[in-house]
């Protein structure tokens, strides 16, 4: 794929590339669990502690997200217009289900897909704009690195890909932290606590509470 622009175009929709795309989606989705659990109190111990209930709940959410990704990668025509529409629709669906994902990672079974939609629906425009603002500063260099890896001098190929992989690690954390904030903001306006009853309430900063209201 990185031999030239021509080979990149020739392999753009190759099934093996799509399969690696699924691995990338999984790598972007699974860390959402630990990043979310770290956010309420910045407690690494809580984030790392095995929680069978939370793992089980989040696994269902994660499989749903991977199913959507599989539909986009394998079930839809890979044309520019379709990809643009699927990106927007995927963002909206993802925003509607943010409260479900956050609650699942925290081990709260009371917020499922239906309740998440009820919590997030009126906040979709704000959440959509906020999500774009969160990812854009890292997405721009990410796509620039991909272009450089394909079209740039081959001596830069592996350094660029390694640097880009590290950048995507930061992007993953930023996406998860932004999703947590957006979900907590919407849930607080709906009077819903995303933390389960057996865990103390998220210790949000004054600034975060002020922003939520």
């Amino acid at each position: 794929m990185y031999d030239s622009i021509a080979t990149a175009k020739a392999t753009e929709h190759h099934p093996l590339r799509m399969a690696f795309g699924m691995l990338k989606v999984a790598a972007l989705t699974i860390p959402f669990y630990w990043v979310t659990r770290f956010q309420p109190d910045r407690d690494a111990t809580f984030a790392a502690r095995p929680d069978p209930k939370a793992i089980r709940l989040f696994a269902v959410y994660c499989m749903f997200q991977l199913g959507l990704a599989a539909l986009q990668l394998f079930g839809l025509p890979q044309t520019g217009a379709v990809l643009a529409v699927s990106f927007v629709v995927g963002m909206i669906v993802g925003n509607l289900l943010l409260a479900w994902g956050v609650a699942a990672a925290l081990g709260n079974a009371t917020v499922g897909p239906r309740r998440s939609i009820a919590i997030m629906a009126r906040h979709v425009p704000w959440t959509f704009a906020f999500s774009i603002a969160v990812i854009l500063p890292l997405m721009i260099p990410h796509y620039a690195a991909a272009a450089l890896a394909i079209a740039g001098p081959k001596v830069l190929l592996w350094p660029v890909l390694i640097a880009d992989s590290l950048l995507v690690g930061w992007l993953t954390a930023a996406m998860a932290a932004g999703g947590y904030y957006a979900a907590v903001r919407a849930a607080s306006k709906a009077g819903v606590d995303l933390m389960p009853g057996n865990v103390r309430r998220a210790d949000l900063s004054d600034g975060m509470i002020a922003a939520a209201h």
Side-chain angles (χ1 to χ4, degrees), residues 70-89:
L71 175 62
Q72 290 176 312
L73 289 173
F74 299 105
L76 298 177
Q78 299 297 300
T79 62
V82 172
L83 289 174
V85 172
S86 67
F87 171 78
V88 173
V89 173

Side-chain angles (χ1 to χ4, degrees), residues 20-141:
F20 276 108
M22 282 298 299
L23 290 177
K24 180 179 179 180
V25 172
L28 289 170
T29 304
I30 293 173
F32 186 97
Y33 173 81
W34 291 286
V35 176
T36 298
R37 290 176 66 81
F38 176 77
Q39 292 301 310
D41 299 298
R42 305 300 192 268
D43 186 347
T45 301
F46 174 74
R49 183 185 303 124
D51 183 336
K53 182 179 180 180
I55 292 172
R56 185 173 65 253
L57 292 171
F58 187 76
V60 176
Y61 170 80
C62 187
M63 292 304 296
F64 180 83
Q65 292 293 342
L66 292 178
L68 286 181
L71 175 62
Q72 290 176 312
L73 289 173
F74 299 105
L76 298 177
Q78 299 297 300
T79 62
V82 172
L83 289 174
V85 172
S86 67
F87 171 78
V88 173
V89 173
M91 285 283 291
I92 292 174
V93 172
N95 291 339
L96 288 171
L97 299 178
L98 271 177
W100 175 29
V102 169
L106 295 173
N108 183 357
T110 66
V111 179
R114 184 177 300 179
R115 195 175 184 195
S116 179
I117 293 172
I119 291 170
M120 300 299 303
R122 68 181 62 182
H123 304 285
V124 164
W126 185 93
T127 304
F128 187 93
F130 177 71
S131 299
I132 295 296
V134 167
I135 67 175
L136 204 57
L138 294 172
M139 286 296 290
I140 291 174

